[in-house]
Structure formats: structure tokens, C-alpha cells
């Protein structure tokens, strides 16, 4: 049974940092592209960052480039999202998602597996 379980969200002040984690099981983790996708209140899904199976390719949406860092540890079947310089507009539920191919990495409709999400709230 495939499971993706996110953790690490919370309430943080503007300018603060968080590290989100997503633990995976039930599939061959190192064979899958992993991404972080977020959904702000009242808005649709927004792909944020992706990393290939070996961790050699990473890409980000422009609005988070330089502030967010995606990484993975295949020995632990875990993908991470380090978030720095948080802004109120980063407030969202953050999901991790998995698919097999790197092409169209930002297309959220092509992901096979999803976690339940973790809430990040940026507020003073």
C-alpha cells in the first residue's frame, strides 16, 4: 500500500524557516520523481518544486526560487522541502507527490501518489 506522509508544518512568523518532510513507502522510492505542491486558501494547486529519482535534477517555480530547497534521502525514503524567508503568501497546505517520469514535472495532474498535506501558516 502506497503511503506519503508529510510533517513539519506549523505557524511561523514572516522571515522564518521550516523544513517539511515526506516519508514514503509502498513503492520503489528512488525510481520516482518527487514534488512539493501547495494549495493556498481558496486557490487551486500550485506546483512548487521537483526532484528526480537520484536527486541530480531539481527545479522550482519562480516565486520560490532562492528561498525553497528540495532534497531527498533515498536511504530513508524521504523527501524534504527547506523553506526560508517565509512570506504570508506562502501560507498553504503543502503536499508531496510522486510520479515516474521527469517530463512535465510541474503538471500536477500527472502525479500518481499524493500525501495528505501539512499546513504552513505564515503570520505575525
Amino acid at each position: 500500500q502506497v503511503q506519503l506522509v508529510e510533517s513539519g508544518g506549523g505557524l511561523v512568523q514572516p522571515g522564518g524557516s521550516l523544513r517539511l518532510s515526506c516519508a514514503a513507502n509502498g513503492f520503489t522510492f528512488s525510481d520516482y520523481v518527487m514534488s512539493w505542491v501547495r494549495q493556498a486558501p481558496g486557490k487551486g494547486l500550485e506546483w512548487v518544486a521537483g526532484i528526480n529519482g537520484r536527486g541530480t535534477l531539481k527545479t522550482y517555480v519562480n516565486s520560490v526560487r532562492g528561498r525553497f530547497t528540495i532534497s531527498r534521502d533515498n536511504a530513508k525514503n524521504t523527501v524534504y522541502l527547506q523553506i526560508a524567508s517565509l512570506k504570508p503568501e506562502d501560507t498553504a497546505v503543502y503536499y508531496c507527490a510522486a510520479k515516474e517520469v521527469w517530463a512535465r514535472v510541474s503538471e500536477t495532474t500527472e502525479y500518481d501518489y499524493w500525501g495528505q498535506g501539512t499546513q504552513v501558516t505564515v503570520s505575525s
Side-chain angles (χ1 to χ4, degrees):
Q1 181 180 355
V2 171
Q3 277 192 312
L4 295 174
V5 180
E6 301 95 334
S7 60
L11 173 63
V12 62
Q13 293 187 341
S17 301
L18 281 175
R19 187 175 84 154
L20 308 183
S21 300
C22 171
N25 61 70
F27 61 101
T28 306
F29 182 71
S30 58
D31 286 347
Y32 278 71
V33 173
M34 299 299 297
S35 279
W36 287 94
V37 178
R38 67 185 179 184
Q39 186 168 29
K43 297 190 176 181
L45 294 173
E46 178 188 32
W47 173 86
V48 171
I51 187 168
N52 70 338
R54 289 198 278 178
T56 54
L57 296 174
K58 303 178 184 181
T59 188
Y60 303 90
V61 69
N62 285 340
S63 60
V64 308
R65 197 181 306 274
R67 298 190 298 121
F68 289 19
T69 303
I70 190 170
S71 62
R72 66 191 296 158
D73 184 339
N74 287 346
K76 296 182 178 179
N77 283 5
T78 301
V79 62
Y80 305 98
L81 188 68
Q82 182 71 44
I83 309 175
S85 303
L86 277 157
K87 305 176 182 180
E89 52 263 42
D90 294 318
T91 294
V93 177
Y94 284 71
Y95 301 92
C96 66
K99 68 170 189 167
E100 291 189 81
V101 298
W102 181 251
R104 298 177 302 281
V105 64
S106 63
E107 292 293 332
T108 57
T109 58
E110 297 193 5
Y111 281 80
D112 300 311
Y113 307 128
W114 291 80
Q116 84 290 346
T118 186
Q119 176 72 48
V120 172
T121 302
V122 185
S123 174
S124 55

